Amino acid sequence: MLETASSLFYRHGVRSVGVDLVVLEAGVAKTSLYRHFRTKDDLIAAFLEREDADFWGGWDRVAARHTDDPMAELEAHLDWIGERVARPNYRGCPQLNVAAEFPQTDHPARKVAAAHKREFRRRLRGIAERLGASRPDELAGQLSLLINGAFVSAQVLGPGEATPLLKATARALIAASKTA
């Protein structure tokens, strides 16, 4: 059920996918869905938690290969993020998509999305500190804005454009962070 819901939510948006479509596509009874997920909101939150785990799994694999070189780590993250946004079926960051669909800050899915983005910025701050940025919080915010911009711009970027843009802009931000 979660696999089916995740696919539908990502392709069509969570507001446009009803529970009836999820149970139809999953081939289960509605009571089965509600036995596992109390509400559609809980199902949406589970979808984001699953996406969150997948994203951090990729991040952690990259980070583990570059523990002693923060610039190599950042560039490797930008490589896989650039590859991710270049996929033909890429429809943006699921957390950003859901946050845009649910402006209420107390919505369960919005809370998962916000937590993901806080963790994203925290991890970028760690890289910024290791890079010797004079204001690591500021650099982390700038890198977060850059990467999130790639996530939302993916559908209008040309083939292969994201990675070089991400890397060149990140290098410029890092250089500026050391002189400020």
Side-chain angles (χ1 to χ4, degrees):
M1 287 178 289
L2 183 56
E3 175 78 31
T4 300
S6 295
S7 176
L8 290 168
F9 288 159
Y10 187 71
R11 283 184 297 161
H12 303 292
V14 295
R15 286 205 187 263
S16 68
V17 173
V19 171
D20 290 337
L21 180 59
V22 173
V23 297
L24 177 69
E25 292 284 320
V28 298
K30 195 181 279 190
T31 54
S32 294
L33 181 109
Y34 285 120
R35 200 171 313 131
H36 296 301
F37 305 98
R38 198 174 42 87
T39 65
K40 180 183 174 188
D41 289 344
D42 291 339
L43 180 60
I44 297 165
F47 153 64
L48 284 186
E49 289 165 354
R50 178 185 169 157
E51 293 293 323
D52 191 60
D54 178 63
F55 184 87
W56 294 128
W59 184 281
D60 291 342
R61 283 188 294 279
V62 167
R65 292 193 305 263
H66 301 285
T67 56
D68 296 331
D69 187 345
M71 190 63 198
E73 179 186 344
L74 180 60
E75 295 227 345
H77 287 308
L78 297 177
D79 281 335
W80 75 266
I81 288 168
E83 291 168 11
R84 182 183 188 107
V85 302
R87 293 178 192 157
N89 61 345
Y90 188 77
R91 291 201 5 86
C93 169
Q95 289 81 4
L96 290 174
N97 292 348
V98 168
E101 288 193 67
F102 293 96
Q104 313 89 326
T105 56
D106 62 338
H107 189 279
R110 177 71 184 258
K111 288 179 181 180
V112 174
H116 174 84
K117 292 304 174 182
R118 282 192 304 274
E119 177 63 11
F120 185 57
R121 188 153 176 184
R122 186 193 70 76
R123 289 180 185 221
L124 288 171
R125 186 184 194 287
I127 292 172
E129 288 171 347
R130 292 174 32 232
L131 286 167
S134 61
R135 292 190 304 272
D137 282 329
E138 183 176 297
L139 179 58
Q142 292 167 336
L143 292 170
S144 176
L145 190 61
L146 169 67
I147 295 166
N148 285 321
F151 289 149
V152 299
S153 300
Q155 295 182 35
V156 295
L157 291 172
E161 190 175 17
T163 300
L165 287 173
L166 284 165
K167 286 182 164 183
T169 307
R171 285 186 206 113
L173 291 169
I174 291 163
S177 78
K178 292 182 179 182
T179 61

